[in-house]
Amino acid sequence: MDTVYRYRTLNPYEKKFGYCRAVKRGSFIFVSGTTAIDVETGKVVHPTSAYDQALKAFREIISAVEALEGKKGDIVRVRMFVTYDDDSGAVGRALKEVLGDVEPAATMILGAKFVSPDMRVEIEADAILP
């Protein structure tokens, strides 16, 4: 049986709800829904910009994958949950800017509601190590 490795951050929701940012088992890495939280304050950053929130979430996702011995290029799938339909283009632009060279499989779901009304986007990712 493969060992399970967990990566945790200081995001207050991880402790509050009992989960971790990412889990690695074997060659698979699963990154939890990631939002734009300032871990120092516990507050959502960029409350009016889905684009900036998505950029922050993608950076956090890459950091989580790297912390579990993966690399950006190992990301094979992302799921983007977006509150407002009008933000879909901005979130898609952030995806292309950050992971366009990787071209992961992707899903974007519109009309999502989150634990904070300031959250405009939440992103999950999966990676497979070579």
Side-chain angles (χ1 to χ4, degrees):
M1 188 162 129
D2 294 323
T3 302
V4 175
Y5 299 93
R6 289 177 172 76
Y7 171 70
R8 293 174 178 86
T9 70
L10 296 175
N11 181 314
Y13 290 105
E14 291 177 35
K15 186 172 184 176
K16 180 177 182 178
F17 296 132
Y19 70 97
C20 57
R21 178 65 31 218
V23 176
K24 175 184 173 189
R25 182 170 183 172
S27 61
F28 299 97
I29 298 173
F30 306 98
V31 183
S32 296
T34 304
T35 59
I37 299 287
D38 180 325
V39 296
E40 298 296 322
T41 65
K43 303 221 184 266
V44 177
V45 297
H46 313 297
T48 62
S49 174
Y51 171 76
D52 289 324
Q53 286 190 3
L55 288 178
K56 179 164 178 45
F58 283 125
R59 285 193 301 267
E60 291 291 327
I61 287 166
I62 292 167
S63 293
V65 169
E66 290 174 345
L68 292 171
E69 301 180 350
K71 5 182 244 288
K72 177 177 123 173
D74 296 327
I75 298 170
V76 296
R77 181 169 175 76
V78 296
R79 286 167 298 282
M80 298 162 284
F81 303 90
V82 181
T83 299
Y84 304 106
D85 294 7
D86 291 346
D87 285 338
S88 62
V91 174
R93 182 167 50 107
L95 168 65
K96 187 171 185 177
E97 287 178 19
V98 177
L99 292 175
D101 58 328
V102 175
E103 295 185 320
T107 301
M108 185 182 299
I109 298 168
L110 303 176
K113 300 289 184 198
F114 305 114
V115 297
S116 167
D118 289 336
M119 293 176 181
R120 300 176 77 93
V121 62
E122 182 170 320
I123 304 169
E124 299 176 348
D126 302 326
I128 302 175
L129 306 180

